[in-house]
Amino acid sequence: VKITDVKTQIETRKTPKNLDPRIIMQSKSVFWILIFASLAFSCQQNNSFDRYMSIPNGWDKQEIVSYEFVAPDILKPYNLFVNLRTTTDYKFSNIFLVVELNYPHGKVTKDTLEYIMAKPSGELLGSGFTSVKQHKLWFKGIDNAFVFSEEGTYTVHIQQAMRLRGNPKGVAILDGVIDVGFSVEPLNK
């Protein structure tokens, strides 16, 4: 066996004759993109429903944020959350919300809820390292997990109900709230 024949055999084994090295690199790129997309998708599968609506110019007291969603399962327990994103323009230590849940067959529950939004020092609570904070506020499932009692489409309505002390009219435009969301998450046992 000649040395050049051995070298030719080794080179032939490294790259098949009909396969362009650029195709191999593209295949590797596609492979890694698929892996990352699968991981990202599987991480988001925890929520049965998770949506946000942007509030670009402050939250008007007349503006009702609404979401429709289908009951994911009427046998399994869930936690329901109102999700807010706020900036440092939010000047209150709490927030009052009116949250209404309409069931598929006509039942309606309506709650006025108060949530603490800041520490006594004025520092906003919530997650995030920038001037935007994420607030995950319990709506249903705090003490007892929430079980959807009816199959079908539910509607949730969320409205701010902030008032200044001594002013019963309420805050016309609530600054600092930039997104209002709602999520339905399976109960983690």
Side-chain angles (χ1 to χ4, degrees):
V1 176
K2 294 182 186 177
I3 293 180
T4 55
D5 288 340
V6 172
K7 185 177 178 184
T8 303
Q9 288 176 357
I10 292 172
E11 287 175 359
T12 304
R13 287 185 184 160
K14 283 184 181 176
T15 307
K17 291 179 183 177
N18 297 335
L19 212 50
D20 186 352
R22 290 176 292 184
I23 293 174
I24 293 172
M25 289 304 293
Q26 288 174 349
S27 297
K28 287 180 180 179
S29 297
V30 168
F31 171 77
W32 285 110
I33 289 170
L34 288 174
I35 292 293
F36 287 123
S38 297
L39 286 172
F41 183 73
S42 66
C43 290
Q44 293 180 359
Q45 290 303 306
N46 254 351
N47 292 357
S48 298
F49 182 85
D50 190 7
R51 301 284 186 282
Y52 282 87
M53 186 175 105
S54 181
I55 309 290
N57 300 312
W59 194 358
D60 188 295
K61 73 176 182 177
Q62 301 301 320
E63 184 177 4
I64 299 173
V65 177
S66 299
Y67 296 101
E68 285 189 354
F69 60 95
V70 175
D73 189 326
I74 62 168
L75 299 176
K76 293 182 181 177
Y78 291 88
N79 291 314
L80 281 61
F81 296 96
V82 173
N83 301 304
L84 301 177
R85 290 188 184 119
T86 60
T87 66
T88 51
D89 292 333
Y90 190 79
K91 301 299 181 198
F92 296 92
S93 63
N94 64 348
I95 190 166
F96 284 92
L97 301 174
V98 176
V99 184
E100 179 179 293
L101 183 62
N102 297 331
Y103 289 64
H105 301 297
K107 178 181 173 182
V108 176
T109 61
K110 191 171 190 175
D111 297 301
T112 302
L113 307 166
E114 179 186 15
Y115 298 100
I116 303 301
M117 299 291 286
K119 296 178 181 179
S121 66
E123 179 187 349
L124 282 175
L125 298 171
S127 60
F129 295 107
T130 65
S131 62
V132 176
K133 295 292 184 185
Q134 168 84 23
H135 308 270
K136 189 173 187 175
L137 312 171
W138 288 95
F139 172 51
K140 299 278 185 191
I142 300 167
D143 297 323
N144 299 314
F146 180 80
V147 177
F148 292 98
S149 59
E150 300 174 11
E151 288 183 339
T153 301
Y154 287 73
T155 305
V156 65
H157 302 289
I158 307 165
Q159 184 176 19
Q160 65 99 344
M162 292 298 290
R163 286 168 174 57
L164 294 172
R165 213 173 260 153
N167 183 355
K169 292 182 180 182
V171 176
I173 303 292
L174 184 60
D175 292 322
V177 177
I178 58 172
D179 293 303
V180 178
F182 187 76
S183 61
V184 176
E185 300 179 9
L187 183 67
N188 295 328
K189 290 188 175 182

